């Protein structure tokens, strides 16, 4: 006899999170810091060449990450990476601001209609102007919460690890609020 399943019981499914952004803005560096690895060192020219998938455990729950190439030659891979994700992390280097692949990534995000978290990386570099980066994003219709919008943002350093725990917490929060993962 088959056992009836309780309809109130849900199974946790890790959110699938994709990194999008301009080349050399630190997507793989952030992921390396999260997974405590150094995959980027093995990449040709330090640039991600293919889509890679990794699972990481944070606060007793898994998160699945999809890393995509940032270089302009890999447009189709970024499009696919953005479309399979539940949540998209838009990585923008604090010292560089919005660049061509950032704008392309924003278009992918808009078309995919996925929840997005803006991740401002390289905040450890002296003299960065984070409000300027947020204004540049606003000019592309990406308005973060601190500027009156509804898109969460997290400031991190993929190099030092600053803000990485906050980023992982934000991913879990967005997944829960967006009902990608069930509430505890």
């Amino acid at each position: 006899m088959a056992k009836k399943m309780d309809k109130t019981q849900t199974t946790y499914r890790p959110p699938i999170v994709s990194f999008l952004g301009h080349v050399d803005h630190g997507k793989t560096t952030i992921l390396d810091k999260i997974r405590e690895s150094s995959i980027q060192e093995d990449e040709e020219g330090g640039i991600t060449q293919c889509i890679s998938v990794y699972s990481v455990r944070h606060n007793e729950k898994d998160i699945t990450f999809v890393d995509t190439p940032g270089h302009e030659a890999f447009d189709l891979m970024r499009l696919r990476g953005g479309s399979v994700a539940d949540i998209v992390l838009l990585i923008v280097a604090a010292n560089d601001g919005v660049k061509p692949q950032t704008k392309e990534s924003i278009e992918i995000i808009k078309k995919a209609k996925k929840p997005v978290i803006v991740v401002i990386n390289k905040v450890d570099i002296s003299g960065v102007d984070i409000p300027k980066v947020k204004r540049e994003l606003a000019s592309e219709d990406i308005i973060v919460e601190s500027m009156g919008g509804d898109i969460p943002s997290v400031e991190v350093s993929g190099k030092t690890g600053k803000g990485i725990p906050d980023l992982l917490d934000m991913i879990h929060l967005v997944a829960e609020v967006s009902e990608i993962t069930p509430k505890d």
Side-chain angles (χ1 to χ4, degrees):
M1 177 178 231
K3 188 176 178 183
K4 276 190 167 182
M5 199 166 171
D6 181 3
K7 290 184 181 182
T8 62
Q9 183 181 11
T10 57
T11 304
Y12 177 80
R13 181 185 69 77
I16 299 169
V17 179
S18 181
F19 290 77
L20 293 177
H22 191 74
V23 65
D24 199 33
H25 276 204
K27 296 176 295 298
T28 303
T29 302
I30 292 169
L31 185 55
D32 274 349
K33 189 55 82 173
I34 289 169
R35 64 184 171 208
E36 299 173 359
S37 66
S38 57
I39 299 295
Q40 183 185 14
E41 291 175 7
D42 297 331
E43 293 282 2
E44 180 94 16
I47 298 172
T48 302
Q49 304 291 315
C50 60
I51 293 178
S52 303
V53 179
Y54 304 91
S55 186
V56 174
R57 192 156 195 74
H58 177 70
N59 288 344
E60 307 294 321
K61 293 181 181 176
D62 290 332
I63 302 171
T64 300
F65 289 99
V66 179
D67 189 19
T68 60
H71 193 274
E72 63 185 332
F74 297 101
D75 292 348
L76 186 56
M77 282 191 205
R78 277 194 304 282
L79 183 59
R80 286 184 182 150
S83 66
V84 301
D86 295 316
I87 299 169
V88 178
L89 303 182
L90 177 62
I91 311 299
V92 184
N95 64 329
D96 244 2
V98 173
K99 294 292 182 189
Q101 281 78 45
T102 312
K103 292 178 181 182
E104 175 193 289
S105 296
I106 291 169
E107 289 307 311
I108 291 169
I109 290 165
K110 288 177 181 178
K111 287 178 185 171
K113 299 179 182 174
K114 305 285 180 156
V116 63
I117 300 170
V118 169
V119 181
I120 301 174
N121 189 27
K122 302 186 182 187
V123 297
D124 56 306
I125 297 174
S126 65
V128 296
D129 187 350
I130 294 170
K132 179 182 177 217
V133 172
K134 292 178 180 180
R135 287 190 303 274
E136 288 177 0
L137 287 165
S139 72
E140 299 295 326
D141 294 322
I142 298 294
I143 305 170
V144 297
E145 291 172 338
S146 65
M147 301 278 288
D150 59 0
I151 298 173
S153 66
V154 181
E155 298 170 16
V156 306
S157 168
K159 186 176 181 181
T160 69
K162 176 185 178 184
I164 297 296
D166 297 332
L167 173 59
L168 297 172
D169 289 341
M170 183 62 71
I171 291 168
H172 282 312
L173 179 63
V174 169
E176 186 176 301
V177 169
S178 301
E179 297 182 346
I180 295 163
T181 59
K183 296 177 183 164
D184 289 335

